[in-house]
Amino acid sequence: MCLKAALFPDRMFKVRVVVPKDSADKLVEKIVNLGSYEPAEAKVEFGAPIEWARRDLLVIMDHINKLEQYFEFFELSVEPEMGEPVKVKSWEEAAKVAAERAKKIEDEFEKYTSRIKEIEAKMFDVSTLISKPAELPKDVVEKLKETFNLIISREIPAELRKDLAVVDLAAKEALKISTEIVRKVALELLRLLEEEKKFLIEEAKAWASDYEIEISNTYALLLSVKNALEVLSKGRESDYFVYLEGYVPESFFKNTLKALKDYVASVGFALVHMVDYDSEKPPTYVKVESQSAKTAYDVENIYGPPDPREFVPAAIMAFTLPFIYMFMFPDWGHALVLVLFGWGLVNRKGWALAVFRPFGLRRFTRGTEFLGRIMMLVGTASIITGWLSAEFFGPLIGESAVDPAMWLWGALGMAPPLSFGLEHLGDTVIKYVLLSITIGYFHLLIGFLIGILNELRFGRPWKALHYVFPFMLMYATAGAPFAAGFIASGFGSDIEQMMYLTGLYFNEWMFNLKTGHIGPLFVLFVIALLWRGYGIKLELEHEHGRAQASIVGMEMFDNFLLVISNIISYVRIMALALAHWGLVFAFQVIGEIGGPVLLAILYVLANIMVIMLEGLVSFIHNLRLHFYEWFTKFYIDRGKLFEPAVQYTKIIIE
């Protein structure tokens, strides 16, 4: 698995360009073709804003929003596709061409949406009759009563005809019958309207399919024009010149600067300087080359983009995300399903759309592909623990001769090391608890090391030394006996030895309640806690100008609890693995009581439910361990992603 990714964001350069007004359009064409320049709002006193660009940008963005709303409404998976080059004399003309093309498509979509909205309005009126059929117009109700009163009066015996209570009751029963008729008619009308609505939607989809290339090309043209207008709208102009500025990452700096200078040299000039992070905050660009690291970086950005100066944990997360997940989801049959469906979401969109449609997937977006990449990443890792636990679609198949993993462990003459089988259940749970704590122990220590590095990069050595390092020392001492006991016992290969060594290390290193022995690590833990208290005092003084002793004390107590809770939180790895096995096993036991037919039905349902439910829940808990337990030790997340102006289709300024 290639994990190649930058550990720190690129240094950013600010590029300022001044060119004559008649050369500005050509310069912007060059910028968007390079795709490595993010425009920035001009901060110099130079002329006035380029108003026409701002105005046209709003128009183009409105067209983009309308098209994207139509795509969502009609469940269309439209991606911008590069068509034939568009030749124009200026970006102002390009905006007009793009708007005209978009208007034609919007008008066609509007024909369908307006008819659909009319149908939906009728459906709303009809649904009112279903929910409140008695709320008919008053004159209709009175007419019904009058009619039924006359009918009923002829059928009621003469001696009771003067009894108004009897007549009123009969009228109410008759009205009840009439409202039931209204309800039935309304339901039938709703069905017909729903069919008409579906027909119009399918007709719109068919039209969009016939004109797919034109729609994709127009969408690409709109996006390209939008990016060009954003460059111009953030610039300024005088009577004769245009001033633009923007950011370029170090990875693209040489090529971008050379291309710009080659063009600008004869007509204007360009100024370049490295951004001073103390005076301004540029966007963040991280060079990520491998697919696994890119997936991890996208997950990281769910929490928030990294600060331009901080360590980027994407390369580490490309390992820890699947590593933690695979111990939560140890079934190689279920893992294969995840990989298969993830591959389908990325590479076979038509097939995947048909499969996932019952679960709410209506169209493909960038998020859909992202989900597929995550499923492949974590699913591939879970195949490994599936073999270690000999689980293949649950214990019924996994613990039988059908499972190839059982052939392997049988040939080796040993039980699967992570098996939750009934004969191994107690040992495996104990082993999993220490395994989970050990994973959390090293995961958290890595986070603190990154935190120290970040503080040094931000020019805060006092905080690295007095605030982060002692906190890391508290975690290091508290978790050391458990991690050492697990590792020293051959990673839990000998359960009795593991339990003995863990207890021995804890009694010798931390404390022994029976003998009253105080170990060196416990002393170090107390020193680290006091040291952390001093760091909290410095942090409060730095942020608020003063530090109250009561607040420092509460923070120290909270930090003490955090050490325990953060480490124990990783025991959820064991809990989810046990739940994964236990859920299928529970359905298996119930099915065996009911016979082979019920067993087969329940076993299939259990596997489907576990793949969907446990697959999602395990990933959510995995994110929780990364975002809450891990990121809070170092991650700043105050950045803004680098978004360069790019061309989606070729636009040539003549």
Side-chain angles (χ1 to χ4, degrees), residues 320-331 334 338 378 381-382 385-386 389 418 420 432 435-436 439 443 569-582 610 613-626 629:
T320 58
L321 270 173
F323 183 77
I324 291 176
Y325 185 90
M326 73 182 189
F327 288 105
M328 295 177 172
F329 199 75
D331 186 305
H334 296 165
L338 286 185
V378 298
S382 293
T385 45
S389 60
L418 295 180
F420 278 102
Y432 242 103
L435 168 65
S436 303
I439 291 173
H443 196 220
S569 183
Y570 282 82
V571 177
R572 73 185 64 236
I573 297 173
M574 178 279 296
L576 287 163
L578 180 60
H580 184 272
W581 172 85
V610 166
L613 183 62
E614 285 293 317
L616 176 62
V617 170
S618 295
F619 186 72
I620 291 172
H621 280 280
N622 194 0
L623 285 183
R624 199 255 188 205
L625 291 176
H626 279 83
E629 262 75 24

Side-chain angles (χ1 to χ4, degrees), residues 19-41:
V19 294
K21 291 183 73 171
D22 58 1
S23 301
D25 287 319
K26 200 69 180 175
L27 172 63
V28 174
E29 178 192 358
K30 177 73 69 175
I31 287 173
V32 293
N33 282 334
L34 288 169
S36 56
Y37 174 102
E38 178 179 328
E41 200 72 44

Side-chain angles (χ1 to χ4, degrees), residues 64 67-68 71 78-80 215-223:
I64 292 173
L67 282 184
E68 289 178 345
F71 298 159
V78 179
E79 293 294 332
I215 294 172
S216 297
N217 291 348
T218 302
Y219 187 39
L221 178 61
L222 285 169
L223 292 174

Side-chain angles (χ1 to χ4, degrees), residues 27 30-31 34 36 252-265:
L27 172 63
K30 177 73 69 175
I31 287 173
L34 288 169
S36 56
F252 309 111
F253 176 68
K254 290 183 179 179
N255 292 336
T256 302
L257 187 61
K258 182 178 184 304
L260 290 178
K261 282 190 172 181
D262 287 346
Y263 175 75
V264 172

Side-chain angles (χ1 to χ4, degrees), residues 2 32 37 39 110 128 162 339 365 415 437 464 475 530 551:
C2 178
V32 293
Y37 174 102
E110 187 58 32
T128 304
K162 293 182 180 180
V339 173
T365 62
I437 290 174
Y475 279 85
L530 296 173
I551 296 177

